[in-house]
Amino acid sequence: MKILFVGSECAPFIKSGGLADVLGSLPKALVQQGVECSVVLPKYRDMKFADTLEFVTSYYIWVSWRREYCGIFKTVLDGVTFYFIDNEHYFGRPGLYSYDDDNERFAYFDFAVLEMMSHLDIKPDILSLHDWQAAMIAPLYKERYGYYEFYRNIKITFTIHNIAYQGKADPRLINDLYALGDHLYYNGNLRNDNCFNMMKSAILYSDLVTTVSPTYANEILTDEYGEGMQAILNMKRDRLIGILNGIDYDTNNPETDPNILYHFNIDNWKEEKVKNKLALQRELGLPENPDIPLIGIVTRLTWQKGLDLIFDKIEELLNRDVQIVLLGSGDRHYEEGLSYWAGVYPEKFSCNLKYDFPLSCRIYASCDMFLMPSLFEPCGLSQMMSLRYGTIPIVRETGGLKDSVTPYNEYNMTGTGFSFAHYNSDEMMSVIDYATHIYHDKAHWNHIVASAMSEKLDWEASGKQYIEAFESLLNE
Ligand code: ADP
């Protein structure tokens, strides 16, 4: 089986969120299970390893009425071939997104991917599209490219990493950017809520829709979580599956992680992990204390991540016997509020408003607990990294958080974390109190850390599920 993955970011080249982690690790895992995988993404100005790429070819393509340059670069990493679409005008800029012409940039990208396939004679069995930036490839394929001999018989899958980001746009762009007819708007194929909607289009035109956890696959069928997509998803529910993301166990490894000072594993974590804790307290200017519960938070600062619950209770929390280390960047009102509380409680709260990968690793390795009270969470990777590093997650039971963290049961000593059901700050607070209570009972705490570190949340099982789903699609 040959799979071509298409998405807008991919680790280790460029990353802004979990999508990059998935595109960086899932293809690698599938290659290990005997599948031929390639990934295609834009060649951004700020990407890493740009000077190691090999130039393949260049030509001009049509993007509706526009004639645009398209260069192709490539490299091979861990058995996966990565292709990069080069165009200075669209991608030779700082960062990844948030430009006024993002719709045009990714319309260009979508055409470039389809054209690249015939120019380089790449014909996958499965074209695996990820998020709105790649979504319009599905209607472009089904309405146009799929009729040409070269492109025939390719199955299209679409993966929803976060249903909140749909690619909503002015209906006039359907013609202006994609040269698709207005009738596809008026018959509802490309329309949702009287707006051109790329995610809706991909859901409708794909042969299979996947999302990143089983619980999220059920949640998005409801009015509460569906963000307007619930009707179309219910219509296609026999073609919707949720497969829990994994994390890369080679790179997220407390025994070898180059960003942490003291390496550890399930046998020696009791002696070594606390050394990381003391080092992190020193690094961030918190009082060095091995016995105080140290709670980590690494997140984008956005409403999705449950920051409103944290703000509700932050003063109460900082009056408990705990320390908090936060790393994150995002919405200004959260950043300003957090800075304020860090100023009021400098001995208790270290607030780091930036994107810092090495520091994130030290937080996962050093803290006792990791707080993630998300309003919704398609999968979430941070709680999985925490488990791997023996840092006990405290989560809300939603999406992938529910599927990856088993609440601790002190009576039969099972479970890997702590969780609460409702989006309610009192519930969150009582679970944090319960977790800190258990923390001081070392017989329980040692058990829970050992269970967390033994959990297997890599891609082995999830990779198999993708292969099974794709194979049954090909056998239809
Ligand atoms: P999402 O994709 O919604 O942001 P995930 O939990 O799926 O959430 O993935 C977030 C990833 O980004 C994790 O690997 C996390 O460690 C990382 N991350 C988030 N914020 C920061 C930050 N400020 N600095 C470093 N890494 C971060």
Side-chain angles (χ1 to χ4, degrees):
M1 179 161 53
K2 288 187 200 162
I3 308 174
L4 178 60
F5 291 87
V6 189
S8 58
E9 55 180 276
C10 177
F13 303 104
I14 188 131
K15 167 171 165 176
S16 81
L19 168 63
D21 290 301
V22 174
L23 283 185
S25 52
L26 169 62
K28 175 179 160 185
L30 295 185
V31 163
Q32 284 163 5
Q33 298 188 29
V35 178
E36 199 179 315
C37 293
S38 339
V39 181
V40 51
L41 63 151
K43 184 172 179 293
Y44 297 100
R45 195 195 73 175
D46 290 348
M47 60 171 277
K48 291 194 196 128
F49 310 115
D51 46 354
T52 64
L53 308 183
E54 171 199 336
F55 174 77
V56 182
T57 182
S58 72
Y59 41 83
Y60 278 76
I61 62 170
W62 290 106
V63 180
S64 187
W65 50 268
R66 300 162 189 78
R67 195 79 176 140
E68 294 291 346
Y69 171 85
C70 177
I72 306 287
F73 285 75
K74 85 170 202 188
T75 190
V76 179
L77 193 66
D78 297 319
V80 180
T81 307
F82 292 87
Y83 295 99
F84 300 85
I85 305 286
D86 180 37
N87 179 300
E88 278 295 304
H89 168 58
Y90 289 127
F91 300 119
R93 330 172 173 185
L96 293 99
Y97 318 118
S98 303
Y99 288 98
D100 288 347
D101 61 345
D102 276 1
N103 289 329
E104 183 176 330
R105 296 167 75 215
F106 290 102
Y108 161 79
F109 176 63
D110 293 349
F111 277 109
V113 170
L114 285 160
E115 292 292 332
M116 179 191 85
M117 289 165 58
S118 55
H119 271 89
L120 299 190
D121 195 19
I122 301 168
K123 185 164 181 189
D125 302 302
I126 305 275
L127 194 50
S128 165
L129 312 175
H130 294 257
D131 276 355
W132 74 264
Q133 294 90 348
M136 286 303 289
I137 292 177
L140 284 173
Y141 178 84
K142 291 278 169 76
E143 293 288 349
R144 191 179 311 158
Y145 283 82
Y147 292 108
Y148 293 101
E149 181 58 36
F150 174 82
Y151 290 91
R152 275 198 195 137
N153 299 326
I154 297 173
K155 296 286 184 193
I156 308 286
T157 68
F158 179 64
T159 302
I160 300 169
H161 292 260
N162 191 333
I163 208 153
Y165 304 101
Q166 299 180 357
K168 296 180 187 174
D170 187 322
R172 283 172 294 190
L173 296 186
I174 291 171
N175 204 329
D176 183 47
L177 292 180
Y178 300 98
L180 290 169
D182 287 346
H183 65 286
L184 297 176
Y185 180 76
Y186 292 111
N187 73 6
N189 284 8
L190 308 185
R191 185 182 70 198
N192 198 55
D193 228 358
N194 291 329
C195 185
F196 166 34
N197 189 309
M198 302 182 203
M199 182 178 276
K200 145 93 188 263
S201 315
I203 293 169
L204 187 78
Y205 279 100
S206 296
D207 300 301
L208 178 72
V209 178
T210 77
T211 188
V212 290
S213 68
T215 296
Y216 195 59
N218 285 326
E219 286 175 344
I220 57 180
L221 296 171
T222 66
D223 291 349
E224 189 183 349
Y225 290 92
E227 299 276 341
M229 291 294 108
Q230 59 272 33
I232 182 78
L233 285 168
N234 273 294
M235 196 178 109
K236 298 224 9 176
R237 67 188 300 169
D238 58 328
R239 303 231 150 220
L240 170 69
I241 52 167
I243 301 176
L244 190 67
N245 284 338
I247 55 169
D248 187 329
Y249 267 39
D250 298 336
T251 49
N252 297 288
N253 185 349
E255 276 191 286
T256 53
D257 189 333
N259 299 301
I260 67 176
L261 286 175
Y262 302 96
H263 292 129
F264 57 95
N265 57 30
I266 190 148
D267 299 319
N268 66 5
W269 70 268
K270 273 181 239 154
E271 301 79 48
E272 300 303 313
K273 192 169 156 65
V274 68
K275 294 183 188 164
N276 286 307
K277 176 173 174 178
L278 293 168
L280 186 72
Q281 288 168 329
R282 202 159 46 240
E283 178 185 343
L284 299 178
L286 293 170
E288 287 173 52
N289 179 348
D291 300 318
I292 192 167
L294 181 62
I295 304 177
I297 302 171
V298 179
T299 185
R300 288 183 293 121
L301 297 174
T302 154
W303 98 111
Q304 173 199 337
K305 300 291 179 177
L307 288 151
D308 296 315
L309 298 190
I310 294 176
F311 270 99
D312 243 17
K313 292 289 172 188
I314 192 156
E315 190 164 20
E316 203 176 325
L317 187 56
L318 290 168
N319 277 304
R320 302 280 207 273
D321 194 24
V322 298
Q323 289 177 348
I324 303 177
V325 174
L326 179 140
L327 170 64
S329 59
D331 296 354
R332 201 165 127 197
H333 66 285
Y334 290 130
E335 293 197 349
E336 286 174 353
L338 291 165
S339 305
Y340 169 80
W341 288 112
V344 180
Y345 291 89
E347 307 270 286
K348 291 280 194 72
F349 183 24
S350 164
C351 173
N352 307 276
L353 300 176
K354 57 182 172 177
Y355 188 91
D356 185 337
F357 174 68
L359 178 57
S360 74
C361 300
R362 289 197 288 284
I363 293 176
Y364 293 123
S366 313
C367 290
D368 301 298
M369 297 157 202
F370 188 85
L371 180 60
M372 204 165 169
S374 303
L375 174 61
F376 64 96
E377 194 62 69
C379 176
L381 300 171
S382 306
Q383 82 283 7
M384 298 196 198
M385 295 170 187
S386 302
L387 287 165
R388 175 97 166 115
Y389 285 78
T391 297
I392 301 309
I394 301 173
V395 302
R396 189 169 96 79
E397 289 158 14
T398 181
L401 297 176
K402 189 171 176 184
D403 295 334
S404 58
V405 177
T406 318
Y408 191 60
N409 178 331
E410 64 180 283
Y411 301 102
N412 57 15
M413 290 174 93
T414 55
T416 55
F418 297 90
S419 62
F420 58 101
H422 302 105
Y423 194 69
N424 172 310
S425 59
D426 290 322
E427 261 187 54
M428 176 187 78
M429 199 61 211
S430 69
V431 167
I432 295 175
D433 283 340
Y434 177 56
T436 53
H437 162 75
I438 295 280
Y439 171 80
H440 291 293
D441 184 336
K442 287 302 162 209
H444 281 280
W445 195 258
N446 293 346
H447 194 79
I448 195 171
V449 174
S451 308
M453 290 186 74
S454 343
E455 197 74 342
K456 245 177 101 45
L457 292 165
D458 62 359
W459 275 107
E460 202 183 314
S462 300
K464 282 202 178 90
Q465 289 179 46
Y466 270 102
I467 293 175
E468 275 168 26
F470 289 170
E471 270 173 354
S472 61
L473 200 58
L474 295 179
N475 291 332
E476 276 179 353

